[in-house]
Amino acid sequence: MESKAYLNYVRISPRKVSIVLNLIRGKDVKLAKAILEQTPKAACEPLLKLLKSAVANAENNHDMDVASLYVAECHVGQGPTLDLAHHPGAQGKRIRR
């Protein structure tokens, strides 16, 4: 049986997150937590929160043993892109000559 957890709308690029995910993929939970706590990347904080959520889901919802859990799969995808372009318009001022 497997436990899942999702993390949506994090404002970090997928390229930066995938670097950290490659470090923890296939590791047991204890080692993955240690890696995330010691790695100085911005993506580590939300991923640590996600890992703790997945462990809690496994323990509470599926009655799994926490000591035998490991990170089987982890994926990252691109989220919604914000439109930050600002288009200034006229302010209604008339030029006198």
Side-chain angles (χ1 to χ4, degrees):
M1 183 171 275
E2 65 182 22
S3 176
K4 294 182 180 180
Y6 297 97
L7 182 63
N8 296 324
Y9 304 109
V10 177
R11 301 267 315 261
I12 301 175
S13 71
R15 188 179 211 172
K16 294 176 182 178
V17 175
S18 66
I19 292 170
V20 179
L21 287 180
N22 290 337
L23 293 175
I24 64 169
R25 188 175 289 123
K27 308 278 194 300
D28 62 36
V29 170
K30 200 172 192 181
L31 182 60
K33 278 185 183 179
I35 290 171
L36 289 175
E37 288 171 352
Q38 298 299 320
T39 305
K41 294 282 188 181
C44 289
E45 187 176 338
L47 288 179
L48 182 61
K49 191 174 179 180
L50 176 70
L51 182 64
K52 288 180 181 179
S53 175
V55 170
N57 289 342
E59 186 177 14
N60 294 321
N61 299 342
H62 303 296
D63 295 325
M64 299 171 118
D65 182 27
V66 177
S68 64
L69 295 177
Y70 66 96
V71 180
E73 293 181 28
C74 48
H75 305 284
V76 63
Q78 185 174 357
T81 305
L82 296 179
D83 183 21
L84 299 178
H86 178 60
H87 302 290
Q91 297 179 358
K93 295 181 180 175
R94 187 168 31 171
I95 301 172
R96 294 191 174 208
R97 292 184 193 177

